[in-house]
Amino acid sequence: MSTLSVQNISVAFGGLRALRDVSFTVEPGQIFAIIGPNGAGKSTIFNAISRIYDVAGGAIRFGDRDLLTLRPDQVVQSGIARTFQNIELFEKATVLQNLLVGCHGRMQRNLLAEFLFLPAVRRGELAARRKVEEVLDLLDLQHLRSERVADLPYGARKNVELARALCAGPKLLLLDEPASGLNPEETTDMSFWLKDIKEELGVTILMVEHDMNLVGRTADRVLALANGEVVAEGTVAQVQADRRVQDAYLGGAA
Ligand SMILES: Nc1ncnc2c1ncn2[C@@H]1O[C@H](COP(=O)(O)OP(=O)(O)O)[C@@H](O)[C@H]1O
Ligand SMILES: [Mg+2]
């Protein structure tokens, strides 16, 4: 069981401070939501955890690992998978093929062993197939398995991206706006899937989300950001009632 601990991180782009002294802790098994107006620094937090952006100060730990010493691929190997604000899939491949690619991050690759098709490789391949079937069942995607991603409507593509991240067998899933572009019915489906992922797979979820309906239905804890700084942290009700959060949104809209 690994706790994600973000301590006093700051990220700067030239003169712009995108994050200033941000701290929070995600306990194993939680759904933890980060909210805040556009440009608040939400995606920057994900890019800092994924080691895509450099952090100017502070610490990020996942279990006993210091993520700031790892490369992006090593962060994935440590059990952290993510989806992007804009869907990133192989459009011309089928749903099944996309999910099998998702599995490969977790399989030990060894070209000679693969060439000889040694038992260990065969076991890895079988485990990958089993994982893919489990995820197709969980997210109700079996009927789309042979469809080309490019032919699917937006909501289904979003779900496939979530499925692909799960195929890597993560302990922690980072979801950047899982409900963006979804209609209310699809958003409700997404809230059930997120709870299934948490409860049936035991995967911890850290998500950035604007849709307070989805946050209200799923999140155990909420962190509110504005202008790169933490404004409030607590339960959904506590954060929604916080005057500083309301002011931040009004300020953002003005
Ligand atoms: N790669 C980058 N280069 C320069 N500025 C960036 C970069 N990424 C983000 N920013 C800036 O950092 C701030 C926070 O961005 P972001 O984390 O994407 O906000 P959010 O996801 O909360 O909408 C914004 O002002 C944005 O323009
Ligand atoms: Mg963003």
Side-chain angles (χ1 to χ4, degrees), residues 135-150:
V135 171
L136 286 170
D137 286 338
L138 185 79
L139 298 185
D140 199 16
L141 282 169
Q142 282 291 3
H143 62 297
L144 299 178
R145 59 187 289 140
S146 304
E147 300 284 329
R148 253 175 25 134
V149 165

Side-chain angles (χ1 to χ4, degrees), residues 42-43 85 176-177 208:
K42 305 181 299 296
S43 295
Q85 199 166 346
D176 202 346
E177 304 201 16
V208 164

Side-chain angles (χ1 to χ4, degrees), residues 11-14 16-19 34-47 52-53 85 176-177 208 210 225 227-228:
V11 173
F13 300 107
L16 176 84
R17 292 258 255 161
L19 293 178
I34 301 175
I35 64 167
N38 263 332
K42 305 181 299 296
S43 295
T44 300
I45 292 183
F46 276 18
N47 286 325
I52 298 186
Y53 291 169
Q85 199 166 346
D176 202 346
E177 304 201 16
V208 164
H210 278 294
L225 272 189
N227 299 318

Side-chain angles (χ1 to χ4, degrees), residues 22-246:
V22 169
S23 301
F24 62 94
T25 301
V26 182
E27 300 294 345
Q30 275 183 341
I31 297 182
F32 191 107
I34 301 175
I35 64 167
N38 263 332
K42 305 181 299 296
S43 295
T44 300
I45 292 183
F46 276 18
N47 286 325
I49 295 170
S50 308
R51 298 287 295 124
I52 298 186
Y53 291 169
D54 276 329
V55 169
I60 305 179
R61 305 192 65 82
F62 183 53
D64 55 11
R65 284 169 201 256
D66 176 359
L67 293 192
L68 296 185
T69 65
L70 303 184
R71 296 188 312 261
D73 59 304
Q74 294 172 320
V75 172
V76 176
Q77 288 293 338
S78 79
I80 299 178
R82 69 178 292 192
T83 64
F84 292 85
Q85 199 166 346
N86 304 306
I87 298 174
E88 296 194 10
L89 289 166
F90 296 108
E91 294 282 322
K92 290 188 176 148
T94 65
V95 169
L96 183 65
Q97 288 165 336
N98 269 279
L99 298 202
L100 283 168
V101 170
C103 285
H104 282 204
R106 74 205 276 265
M107 289 203 291
Q108 294 300 320
R109 299 266 100 183
N110 176 327
L111 281 180
L112 180 61
E114 230 163 287
F115 175 69
L116 298 171
F117 208 62
L118 294 177
V121 174
R122 185 188 252 116
R123 275 197 301 278
E125 202 64 46
L126 287 176
R129 293 266 169 185
R130 267 199 303 275
K131 187 77 199 174
V132 166
E133 296 304 324
E134 179 192 26
V135 171
L136 286 170
D137 286 338
L138 185 79
L139 298 185
D140 199 16
L141 282 169
Q142 282 291 3
H143 62 297
L144 299 178
R145 59 187 289 140
S146 304
E147 300 284 329
R148 253 175 25 134
V149 165
D151 299 333
L152 297 177
Y154 184 82
R157 294 220 301 276
K158 208 113 181 156
N159 202 12
V160 173
E161 204 198 15
L162 177 59
R164 187 185 55 182
L166 280 177
C167 283
K171 289 182 264 185
L172 173 66
L173 198 52
L174 307 182
L175 305 178
D176 202 346
E177 304 201 16
S180 77
L182 300 185
N183 65 38
E185 193 188 328
E186 291 169 329
T187 302
T188 303
D189 286 345
M190 180 61 75
S191 71
F192 286 120
W193 283 320
L194 296 185
K195 283 196 225 165
D196 284 349
I197 290 167
K198 165 182 149 169
E199 281 156 24
E200 292 185 29
L201 301 183
V203 173
T204 309
I205 297 175
L206 173 60
M207 66 175 175
V208 164
E209 185 50 64
H210 278 294
D211 188 305
M212 284 310 288
N213 250 323
L214 184 78
V215 172
R217 285 205 199 96
T218 58
D220 300 300
R221 302 286 297 174
V222 180
L223 179 85
L225 272 189
N227 299 318
E229 290 183 83
V230 174
V231 179
E233 201 213 313
T235 63
V236 178
Q238 285 166 347
V239 169
Q240 271 181 323
D242 196 304
R243 264 313 288 264
R244 289 164 303 173
V245 176
Q246 293 164 7

